[in-house]
């Protein structure tokens, strides 16, 4: 399956406001100066474009596209492009800011960006999607660049679309430019380890957290909500490390087996069934809501945003939540989860394995040299472990939840860099 950066669907809460509420709390604890707070809360650049595209029937349809550069303080901006009917400016702004904090948490020299086009790729032919992606790339000709802004796949896009983007950008420049985009096919400069990168990062974060909580992985149970790229890889890798994965889910519902799911069987079934678990045998069907409240040691929400809310947070029985998706816990649910004593490894830390290996792809493209999968995984695991330990140390030192600690680590790094670089 193609790697897709995890990202929330259209938010029930305003996504930008939800992100800002946590940013504000972390900034206050750090004692961030008001002027730096104002610099960091506002996107550096917002681009909105109209994209006329010739459809297969000969008609011309105009799509709206976005690219938000939240920050370039740490380096060139980085973030996915999503093709989805619910794309809107507030959502893209929130995702761009999340990328800034995510890169800072794992100490990668990137700022945050995000892009999107309001469209429904499921209702479009491959030719229409290609023309749309090329039109979007053309419109962003002065935005994209290997030293400026480096896009990647997101919801509704994958290696195929990134190949078109790289080709269109290269045509504009009159030379092949691999490093302008990550998430490309392997033959075009994509990186080994990219497909499983986010799920692997979730696994590394979960193992590090279980060590702190003294949970034995060989005696631990787990439920994974979402069985796309991130969820299925997380489930597979956690199972390999001894956890009993009792439940998984997708849009068709949730599937529960007290004795443990056969994850490989579930992956094969999904891949042969048009990407759906619908009709999967070997497990009892339950609702997605029931999955969230199972009495497991580890819960991995790896589907969409706002699945853990103020209305169901009090019913969650897991000892540990590791967020594979962006924004799976609403800001209103944070206090309830914290009061229950549940450790949450937040999205900007737990799912940063994807952007880490994106960075590796960019580095390899700049070097013109390919790393082995073992080297990619080894270096990615080390970065994720170091980031977890740093956030955990901050959490203990300031006596704050891991989510606020992650924002504090990120904001501290970006604000200090801003001071050294000097504002004007």
């Amino acid at each position: 399956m193609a790697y897709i950066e995890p990202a929330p669907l259209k938010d029930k809460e305003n996504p930008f406001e939800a992100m800002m509420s946590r940013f504000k709390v972390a900034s206050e604890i750090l004692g961030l100066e008001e002027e730096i707070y104002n610099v960091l809360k506002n996107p550096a650049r917002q681009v909105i474009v109209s994209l006329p595209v010739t459809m297969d029937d000969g008609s011309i349809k105009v799509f709206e596209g976005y690219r938000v550069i939240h920050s370039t303080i740490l380096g060139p901006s980085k973030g996915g492009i999503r093709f989805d009917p619910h794309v809107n400016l507030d959502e893209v702004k929130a995702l761009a800011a999340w990328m800034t904090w995510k890169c800072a948490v794992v100490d990668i020299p990137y700022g945050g960006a995000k892009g999107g086009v309001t469209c429904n790729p499921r209702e479009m032919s491959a030719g229409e999607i290609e023309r749309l992606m090329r039109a979007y790339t053309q419109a962003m000709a002065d935005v994209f660049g290997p030293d400026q802004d480096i896009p990647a796949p997101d919801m509704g896009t994958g290696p195929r679309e990134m190949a078109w983007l790289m080709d269109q950008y290269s045509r504009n420049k009159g030379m092949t430019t691999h490093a302008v985009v990550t998430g490309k096919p392997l033959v075009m400069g994509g990186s080994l380890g990219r497909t499983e990168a986010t799920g692997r990062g979730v696994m590394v974060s979960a193992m590090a957290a279980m060590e702190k909580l003294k949970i034995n992985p060989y005696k631990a149970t787990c439920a994974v909500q979402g069985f796309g790229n991130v969820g299925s890889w997380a489930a597979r890798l956690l199972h390999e490390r001894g956890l009993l994965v009792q439940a998984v889910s997708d849009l068709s519902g949730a599937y529960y087996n007290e004795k443990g799911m056969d994850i490989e069987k579930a992956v094969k079934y999904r891949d042969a069934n048009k990407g759906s678990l619908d009709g999967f045998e070997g497990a009892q069907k339950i609702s997605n809501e029931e999955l969230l409240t199972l009495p497991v040691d580890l819960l991995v929400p790896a589907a969409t945003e706002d699945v853990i809310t103020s209305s169901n947070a009090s019913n969650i029985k897991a000892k540990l939540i590791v967020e594979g998706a962006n924004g799976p816990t609403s800001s209103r649910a944070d206090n309830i989860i914290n009061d229950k004593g549940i450790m949450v490894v937040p999205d900007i830390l737990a799912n940063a394995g994807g952007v880490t290996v994106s960075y590796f792809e960019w580095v390899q493209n700049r070097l013109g040299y390919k790393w082995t999968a073992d080297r990619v995984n080894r270096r990615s695991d080390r970065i994720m472990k170091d980031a977890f330990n740093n956030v955990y140390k901050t959490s203990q030192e300031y006596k704050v939840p891991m989510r606020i600690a992650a924002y504090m680590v990120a904001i501290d790094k970006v604000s200090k860099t801003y001071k050294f670089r000097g504002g004007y």
Side-chain angles (χ1 to χ4, degrees), residues 175-219:
M175 61 182 181
T176 300
T177 311
H178 293 105
V180 70
V181 62
T182 61
K184 301 180 295 295
L186 276 174
V187 293
M188 291 181 68
S191 177
L192 293 165
R194 182 74 164 75
T195 305
E196 64 269 31
T198 309
R200 187 176 183 91
V202 169
M203 176 275 292
V204 172
S205 298
M207 298 301 288
M210 284 191 286
E211 187 180 335
K212 299 295 183 188
L213 295 173
K214 295 183 169 50
I215 296 173
N216 182 346
Y218 291 97
K219 295 180 180 177

Side-chain angles (χ1 to χ4, degrees), residues 98-363:
W98 263 319
M99 285 301 296
T100 297
W101 314 135
K102 195 179 295 189
C103 293
V105 163
V106 290
D107 201 20
I108 285 172
Y110 282 149
K114 213 71 178 187
V117 178
T118 308
C119 67
N120 190 346
R122 295 173 193 85
E123 295 176 358
M124 297 168 68
S125 70
E128 289 170 340
I129 294 170
E130 178 179 355
R131 291 191 289 277
L132 177 59
M133 178 54 82
R134 289 184 184 275
Y136 180 78
T137 306
Q138 193 74 33
M140 299 294 173
D142 65 333
V143 179
F144 295 156
D147 295 304
Q148 293 171 246
D149 178 40
I150 306 137
D154 199 322
M155 190 173 289
T157 62
R160 179 184 69 171
E161 287 76 16
M162 299 307 105
W164 291 330
L165 189 157
M166 191 211 90
D167 179 69
Q168 188 62 44
Y169 182 87
S170 297
R171 289 186 192 197
N172 293 346
K173 294 296 178 184
M175 61 182 181
T176 300
T177 311
H178 293 105
V180 70
V181 62
T182 61
K184 301 180 295 295
L186 276 174
V187 293
M188 291 181 68
S191 177
L192 293 165
R194 182 74 164 75
T195 305
E196 64 269 31
T198 309
R200 187 176 183 91
V202 169
M203 176 275 292
V204 172
S205 298
M207 298 301 288
M210 284 191 286
E211 187 180 335
K212 299 295 183 188
L213 295 173
K214 295 183 169 50
I215 296 173
N216 182 346
Y218 291 97
K219 295 180 180 177
T221 55
C222 172
V224 179
Q225 195 220 18
F227 206 64
N229 178 274
V230 179
S232 60
W233 273 107
R236 187 182 301 182
L237 294 166
L238 287 164
H239 173 71
E240 283 178 8
R241 280 150 186 80
L243 279 86
L244 193 69
V245 182
Q246 293 184 321
V248 299
S249 72
D250 66 3
L251 287 173
S252 69
Y255 301 83
Y256 172 75
N257 187 328
E258 188 181 3
K259 295 180 181 177
M261 301 278 297
D262 186 332
I263 300 300
E264 285 300 328
K265 183 180 174 184
V267 169
K268 286 177 183 173
Y269 180 87
R270 177 203 63 190
D271 291 349
N273 193 40
K274 298 179 181 176
S276 172
L277 285 170
D278 192 25
F280 179 69
E281 296 177 357
Q284 170 193 348
K285 193 164 184 180
I286 60 174
S287 70
N288 266 299
E289 193 62 33
E290 286 176 290
L291 178 144
L292 293 169
T293 57
L294 288 171
V296 291
D297 296 297
L298 169 64
L299 173 64
V300 178
T304 60
E305 91 303 330
D306 271 2
V307 295
I308 299 172
T309 64
S310 54
S311 59
N312 67 7
S314 58
N315 299 323
I316 288 177
K317 303 176 186 70
K319 297 171 187 170
L320 170 65
I321 297 170
V322 179
E323 296 182 340
N326 277 344
T329 306
S330 79
S331 58
R332 299 184 191 112
D334 280 348
N335 288 338
I336 301 169
I337 295 292
N338 296 337
D339 290 345
K340 285 172 69 74
I342 300 169
M343 179 190 279
V344 179
V345 184
D347 46 9
I348 62 170
L349 169 59
N351 68 36
V355 74
T356 300
V357 179
S358 277
Y359 171 63
F360 292 168
E361 181 177 332
W362 179 79
V363 169

Side-chain angles (χ1 to χ4, degrees), residues 23-44:
F23 172 73
K24 192 169 188 291
V25 170
S27 298
E28 287 171 354
I29 296 169
L30 283 170
L32 195 68
E33 298 95 323
E34 188 179 352
E35 55 268 31
I36 296 178
Y37 174 84
N38 289 329
V39 168
L40 299 187
K41 79 173 186 179
N42 291 302

Side-chain angles (χ1 to χ4, degrees), residues 14-17 19-25 27 32-46 68-71 73 89-90 92-98 100-101 112 407 411 414-415 418:
N14 180 298
F16 190 69
E17 289 174 8
M19 184 280 298
M20 282 304 302
S21 67
R22 287 138 173 182
F23 172 73
K24 192 169 188 291
V25 170
S27 298
L32 195 68
E33 298 95 323
E34 188 179 352
E35 55 268 31
I36 296 178
Y37 174 84
N38 289 329
V39 168
L40 299 187
K41 79 173 186 179
N42 291 302
R45 188 177 184 187
Q46 302 177 61
V68 174
I69 312 296
H70 177 260
S71 172
I73 292 168
L89 188 58
D90 269 345
V92 178
K93 279 167 64 179
L95 292 166
W98 263 319
T100 297
W101 314 135
Y407 273 88
I411 293 165
V414 178
S415 63
Y418 177 78

